[in-house]
PDB file of all heavy atoms in Angstrom:
ATOM      1  N   TYR A 511     -21.478   9.941 -10.069  1.00 91.00           N
ATOM      2  CA  TYR A 511     -20.616   9.348 -11.046  1.00 91.00           C
ATOM      3  C   TYR A 511     -20.564   7.820 -10.724  1.00 91.00           C
ATOM      4  O   TYR A 511     -20.788   7.305  -9.637  1.00 91.00           O
ATOM      5  CB  TYR A 511     -19.226   9.874 -10.970  1.00 91.00           C
ATOM      6  CG  TYR A 511     -19.136  11.379 -11.294  1.00 91.00           C
ATOM      7  CD1 TYR A 511     -18.967  12.317 -10.331  1.00 91.00           C
ATOM      8  CD2 TYR A 511     -19.128  11.765 -12.641  1.00 91.00           C
ATOM      9  CE1 TYR A 511     -18.915  13.688 -10.622  1.00 91.00           C
ATOM     10  CE2 TYR A 511     -18.995  13.143 -12.953  1.00 91.00           C
ATOM     11  CZ  TYR A 511     -18.907  14.089 -11.981  1.00 91.00           C
ATOM     12  OH  TYR A 511     -18.772  15.374 -12.236  1.00 91.00           O
ATOM     13  N   PHE A 512     -20.214   7.078 -11.821  1.00 88.00           N
ATOM     14  CA  PHE A 512     -19.976   5.630 -11.677  1.00 88.00           C
ATOM     15  C   PHE A 512     -18.821   5.377 -10.791  1.00 88.00           C
ATOM     16  O   PHE A 512     -18.808   4.408  -9.964  1.00 88.00           O
ATOM     17  CB  PHE A 512     -19.807   5.008 -13.084  1.00 88.00           C
ATOM     18  CG  PHE A 512     -19.454   3.564 -12.978  1.00 88.00           C
ATOM     19  CD1 PHE A 512     -20.475   2.590 -12.829  1.00 88.00           C
ATOM     20  CD2 PHE A 512     -18.142   3.129 -13.118  1.00 88.00           C
ATOM     21  CE1 PHE A 512     -20.148   1.243 -12.749  1.00 88.00           C
ATOM     22  CE2 PHE A 512     -17.834   1.769 -13.015  1.00 88.00           C
ATOM     23  CZ  PHE A 512     -18.827   0.836 -12.873  1.00 88.00           C
ATOM     24  N   ALA A 513     -17.793   6.151 -10.919  1.00 85.00           N
ATOM     25  CA  ALA A 513     -16.567   6.038 -10.090  1.00 85.00           C
ATOM     26  C   ALA A 513     -16.043   7.433  -9.766  1.00 85.00           C
ATOM     27  O   ALA A 513     -16.501   8.419 -10.315  1.00 85.00           O
ATOM     28  CB  ALA A 513     -15.471   5.188 -10.844  1.00 85.00           C
ATOM     29  N   GLY A 514     -15.100   7.484  -8.839  1.00 85.00           N
ATOM     30  CA  GLY A 514     -14.621   8.792  -8.440  1.00 85.00           C
ATOM     31  C   GLY A 514     -15.383   9.254  -7.247  1.00 85.00           C
ATOM     32  O   GLY A 514     -15.164   8.832  -6.092  1.00 85.00           O
ATOM     33  N   ASN A 515     -16.322  10.205  -7.489  1.00 88.00           N
ATOM     34  CA  ASN A 515     -17.183  10.806  -6.459  1.00 88.00           C
ATOM     35  C   ASN A 515     -16.358  11.224  -5.247  1.00 88.00           C
ATOM     36  O   ASN A 515     -16.575  10.832  -4.141  1.00 88.00           O
ATOM     37  CB  ASN A 515     -18.241   9.738  -6.030  1.00 88.00           C
ATOM     38  CG  ASN A 515     -19.263   9.451  -7.060  1.00 88.00           C
ATOM     39  OD1 ASN A 515     -19.870  10.428  -7.590  1.00 88.00           O
ATOM     40  ND2 ASN A 515     -19.397   8.200  -7.393  1.00 88.00           N
ATOM     41  N   TYR A 516     -15.340  12.067  -5.536  1.00 89.00           N
ATOM     42  CA  TYR A 516     -14.455  12.542  -4.485  1.00 89.00           C
ATOM     43  C   TYR A 516     -15.181  13.506  -3.598  1.00 89.00           C
ATOM     44  O   TYR A 516     -15.934  14.307  -3.993  1.00 89.00           O
ATOM     45  CB  TYR A 516     -13.247  13.223  -5.072  1.00 89.00           C
ATOM     46  CG  TYR A 516     -12.416  12.383  -5.993  1.00 89.00           C
ATOM     47  CD1 TYR A 516     -12.311  12.664  -7.378  1.00 89.00           C
ATOM     48  CD2 TYR A 516     -11.673  11.261  -5.510  1.00 89.00           C
ATOM     49  CE1 TYR A 516     -11.559  11.852  -8.210  1.00 89.00           C
ATOM     50  CE2 TYR A 516     -10.941  10.468  -6.351  1.00 89.00           C
ATOM     51  CZ  TYR A 516     -10.862  10.798  -7.722  1.00 89.00           C
ATOM     52  OH  TYR A 516     -10.113   9.997  -8.512  1.00 89.00           O
ATOM     53  N   HIS A 517     -14.881  13.427  -2.285  1.00 90.00           N
ATOM     54  CA  HIS A 517     -15.403  14.339  -1.282  1.00 90.00           C
ATOM     55  C   HIS A 517     -14.230  15.013  -0.544  1.00 90.00           C
ATOM     56  O   HIS A 517     -13.318  14.321  -0.119  1.00 90.00           O
ATOM     57  CB  HIS A 517     -16.341  13.632  -0.292  1.00 90.00           C
ATOM     58  CG  HIS A 517     -17.570  13.109  -0.951  1.00 90.00           C
ATOM     59  ND1 HIS A 517     -18.874  13.573  -0.600  1.00 90.00           N
ATOM     60  CD2 HIS A 517     -17.780  12.164  -1.882  1.00 90.00           C
ATOM     61  CE1 HIS A 517     -19.742  12.906  -1.309  1.00 90.00           C
ATOM     62  NE2 HIS A 517     -19.115  12.073  -2.115  1.00 90.00           N
ATOM     63  N   ALA A 518     -14.297  16.279  -0.382  1.00 92.00           N
ATOM     64  CA  ALA A 518     -13.199  17.026   0.276  1.00 92.00           C
ATOM     65  C   ALA A 518     -13.325  16.797   1.809  1.00 92.00           C
ATOM     66  O   ALA A 518     -14.373  16.815   2.410  1.00 92.00           O
ATOM     67  CB  ALA A 518     -13.264  18.526  -0.012  1.00 92.00           C
ATOM     68  N   ALA A 519     -12.133  16.588   2.421  1.00 91.00           N
ATOM     69  CA  ALA A 519     -12.013  16.428   3.856  1.00 91.00           C
ATOM     70  C   ALA A 519     -11.578  17.744   4.482  1.00 91.00           C
ATOM     71  O   ALA A 519     -10.760  18.407   3.857  1.00 91.00           O
ATOM     72  CB  ALA A 519     -11.077  15.299   4.247  1.00 91.00           C
ATOM     73  N   ILE A 520     -12.120  18.043   5.630  1.00 94.00           N
ATOM     74  CA  ILE A 520     -11.765  19.269   6.338  1.00 94.00           C
ATOM     75  C   ILE A 520     -11.514  18.941   7.810  1.00 94.00           C
ATOM     76  O   ILE A 520     -12.438  18.380   8.442  1.00 94.00           O
ATOM     77  CB  ILE A 520     -12.779  20.404   6.227  1.00 94.00           C
ATOM     78  CG1 ILE A 520     -12.974  20.751   4.724  1.00 94.00           C
ATOM     79  CG2 ILE A 520     -12.426  21.612   7.032  1.00 94.00           C
ATOM     80  CD1 ILE A 520     -14.061  21.760   4.487  1.00 94.00           C
ATOM     81  N   GLY A 521     -10.371  19.199   8.327  1.00 95.00           N
ATOM     82  CA  GLY A 521     -10.061  18.907   9.736  1.00 95.00           C
ATOM     83  C   GLY A 521      -8.639  19.212  10.090  1.00 95.00           C
ATOM     84  O   GLY A 521      -7.831  19.473   9.213  1.00 95.00           O
ATOM     85  N   SER A 522      -8.352  19.088  11.349  1.00 96.00           N
ATOM     86  CA  SER A 522      -6.994  19.350  11.848  1.00 96.00           C
ATOM     87  C   SER A 522      -6.752  18.649  13.185  1.00 96.00           C
ATOM     88  O   SER A 522      -7.777  18.350  13.887  1.00 96.00           O
ATOM     89  CB  SER A 522      -6.667  20.850  11.949  1.00 96.00           C
ATOM     90  OG  SER A 522      -7.478  21.435  12.957  1.00 96.00           O
ATOM     91  N   TYR A 523      -5.547  18.472  13.600  1.00 96.00           N
ATOM     92  CA  TYR A 523      -5.220  18.081  14.930  1.00 96.00           C
ATOM     93  C   TYR A 523      -3.805  18.542  15.204  1.00 96.00           C
ATOM     94  O   TYR A 523      -3.025  18.895  14.351  1.00 96.00           O
ATOM     95  CB  TYR A 523      -5.328  16.544  15.062  1.00 96.00           C
ATOM     96  CG  TYR A 523      -4.283  15.714  14.327  1.00 96.00           C
ATOM     97  CD1 TYR A 523      -3.017  15.467  14.941  1.00 96.00           C
ATOM     98  CD2 TYR A 523      -4.529  15.158  13.110  1.00 96.00           C
ATOM     99  CE1 TYR A 523      -2.075  14.735  14.264  1.00 96.00           C
ATOM    100  CE2 TYR A 523      -3.591  14.433  12.466  1.00 96.00           C
ATOM    101  CZ  TYR A 523      -2.347  14.191  13.009  1.00 96.00           C
ATOM    102  OH  TYR A 523      -1.420  13.447  12.349  1.00 96.00           O
ATOM    103  N   ASN A 524      -3.442  18.509  16.506  1.00 97.00           N
ATOM    104  CA  ASN A 524      -2.093  18.904  16.895  1.00 97.00           C
ATOM    105  C   ASN A 524      -1.636  17.858  17.943  1.00 97.00           C
ATOM    106  O   ASN A 524      -2.434  17.182  18.603  1.00 97.00           O
ATOM    107  CB  ASN A 524      -2.020  20.266  17.456  1.00 97.00           C
ATOM    108  CG  ASN A 524      -2.945  20.456  18.688  1.00 97.00           C
ATOM    109  OD1 ASN A 524      -2.605  20.013  19.771  1.00 97.00           O
ATOM    110  ND2 ASN A 524      -4.020  21.233  18.492  1.00 97.00           N
TER     111      ASN A 524
END
Side-chain angles (χ1 to χ4, degrees):
Y511 297 100
F512 175 81
N515 292 308
Y516 301 112
H517 293 245
I520 299 175
S522 65
Y523 70 84
N524 60 74

